[in-house]
Amino acid sequence: MLEEMTRAGAGWEAFENQISVARHRFAALIGARVDQVAVVPNASIGAFQVAATRSWRTRPRIVTTTAEFPSIAHVWRAQRQCGAEVVDAGHTLDSFTAFIDRTTRLVSVPLISYQHAVRLPVVEVVQAAHAAGAEVFVDAYQAVGVDPVDVGSLGCDFLVAGTSKYLLGLPGLAFLYARAPEDSDHMPTLTGWFGRVDPYAFNSFQLDYPASATRFETGTPAVPACYAAVAGLQLVGELDLALVRNHVWQLGELARAQLSAQGERVRAVPLERRGAHIGIIDADPAELGRQLAGHDIAVSPRHDVVRVSFHYYSNVEDITALCAALRDIRIRSEFLHRQKGSDVHR
């Protein structure tokens, strides 16, 4: 990136090319057309662009779920001030269909839940929503890159995913898929020069919107994130994601068995309903995460669990290292606890 940016007259053209390549590679990864994909700063902006272009006047209901990632859930809840009625379903199809009716405008369902890696019944929810005349938004952040994702098979109207997890990129870039970008109640009010028919017309007075998903774009994306996205998407695009899914399932099962055998409390949904991570239950997940980081093991504390995620490059040696680190941490913690107890008695 730095070499291209310092090359006389070539920097901006090279950057534009990175945006185009990233868009094409993500579209290919999810089975979409290029004109159905918008490049956005993050998944929250993607969700907002959908919400802000919908009217809640005649069909006010948004059906979300208790499994929704907070940032997406916050976007839906913020629509209450615009007249929306927001209700929360659970993980099951029945919990969604109980709320989907002719007052429903939008249904939001994650493909894989962020905390416990629950695979939700997205296809069935889409069918129920469409039967009632509602649109469906899918958060695929926890799936794209380790799971085959095809928007045609899902049938969803919108899908969002970002580059900073299984797509091997950096924070600062995400993609919004829109099945029919031109179908909306309102034009986006959060916009910018990348959201114009011709950004290089430099016309401050003409607010035109393309028929493609680029109508949801705003200003200049994060340049380093674009370069990283292209590199990560190339790596992921060369994989057979069905094999990757089986690989991470096997590693997850092995980790669950070995961790349970050494006394850890592990939260893992049944394999056929699981994504690419499991959870280690702990009284202080943030502290456990810091201690594991001291062993060069990166995890994500989430509520009452430390989330352990697997990818195509993960292997059995990684699980062995995780188990060994946890044994060391638990032994050290027990020793300090006993020492503290003896100090009190003295």
Side-chain angles (χ1 to χ4, degrees):
M1 180 194 76
L2 292 176
E3 287 176 358
E4 291 184 340
M5 287 297 171
T6 55
R7 194 178 303 146
W12 191 261
E13 182 180 346
F15 167 48
E16 282 187 310
N17 182 62
Q18 294 295 307
I19 301 174
S20 176
V21 173
R23 191 194 313 275
H24 278 76
R25 288 183 177 171
F26 182 78
L29 191 65
I30 65 169
R33 299 192 315 269
V34 174
D35 66 291
Q36 294 175 313
V37 174
V39 177
V40 292
N42 52 57
S44 303
I45 295 295
F48 175 80
Q49 293 296 64
V50 173
T53 53
R54 268 61 212 159
S55 171
W56 313 110
R57 181 170 300 176
T58 58
R59 299 179 66 117
R61 180 169 290 181
I62 302 174
V63 180
T64 179
T65 168
T66 54
E68 198 87 79
F69 186 71
S71 192
I72 302 297
H74 295 164
V75 173
W76 307 144
R77 279 164 169 69
Q79 303 315 306
R80 286 172 171 158
Q81 57 193 314
C82 300
E85 172 202 7
V86 183
V87 296
D88 296 297
H91 297 167
T92 66
L93 176 61
D94 288 345
S95 69
F96 276 91
T97 56
F99 290 115
I100 296 172
D101 58 22
R102 289 292 172 179
T103 69
T104 304
R105 182 69 177 86
L106 185 70
V107 179
S108 179
V109 52
L111 196 52
I112 304 290
S113 70
Y114 79 100
Q115 187 181 3
H116 300 312
V118 177
R119 187 179 299 274
L120 278 76
V122 172
V123 172
E124 293 81 1
V125 169
V126 169
Q127 292 170 348
H130 286 176
E135 294 179 306
V136 180
F137 178 97
V138 173
D139 177 3
Y141 219 119
Q142 301 294 330
V144 173
V146 284
D147 217 305
V149 175
D150 182 83
V151 290
S153 299
L154 293 175
C156 58
D157 301 283
F158 304 97
L159 181 142
V160 72
T163 57
S164 62
K165 193 172 176 63
Y166 295 121
L167 292 182
L168 309 176
L170 293 172
L173 203 72
F175 302 96
L176 172 65
Y177 158 80
R179 183 172 57 85
E182 70 281 6
D183 290 347
S184 63
D185 300 322
H186 310 294
M187 293 297 183
T189 53
L190 177 62
T191 190
W193 70 310
F194 272 66
R196 303 284 69 77
V197 172
D198 177 11
Y200 295 96
F202 295 109
N203 187 336
S204 302
F205 306 99
Q206 183 175 2
L207 192 64
D208 55 5
Y209 292 88
S212 69
T214 56
R215 62 171 48 200
F216 297 115
E217 296 184 3
T218 56
T220 307
V223 177
C226 290
Y227 277 82
V230 168
L233 284 163
Q234 179 178 349
L235 290 169
V236 171
E238 294 170 352
L239 303 172
D240 182 334
L241 292 179
L243 295 179
V244 173
R245 178 179 59 193
N246 291 336
H247 175 65
V248 299
W249 277 350
Q250 291 172 11
L251 290 178
E253 277 298 276
L254 180 62
R256 182 192 62 77
Q258 293 190 4
L259 290 169
S260 298
Q262 67 183 52
E264 296 292 339
R265 294 180 297 154
V266 180
R267 182 167 292 156
V269 299
L271 193 58
E272 67 277 5
R273 294 181 55 227
R274 189 190 309 166
H277 65 265
I278 61 173
I280 301 171
I281 302 172
D282 192 79
D284 191 347
E287 176 58 26
L288 180 56
R290 283 190 288 270
Q291 292 185 54
L292 285 169
H295 291 262
D296 291 330
I297 296 173
V299 295
S300 297
R302 294 291 184 268
H303 296 291
D304 62 338
V305 300
V306 168
R307 193 175 65 190
V308 181
S309 302
F310 308 97
H311 209 330
Y312 77 94
Y313 51 76
S314 306
N315 56 38
V316 174
E317 287 74 20
D318 294 330
I319 295 171
T320 301
L322 172 65
C323 292
L326 280 165
R327 277 195 300 270
D328 180 71
I329 290 167
R330 300 310 188 194
I331 290 170
R332 185 180 297 273
S333 177
E334 181 63 22
F335 172 77
L336 292 174
H337 179 74
R338 288 178 179 177
Q339 187 178 52
K340 183 177 180 181
S342 65
D343 289 344
V344 169
H345 287 303
R346 281 199 294 266

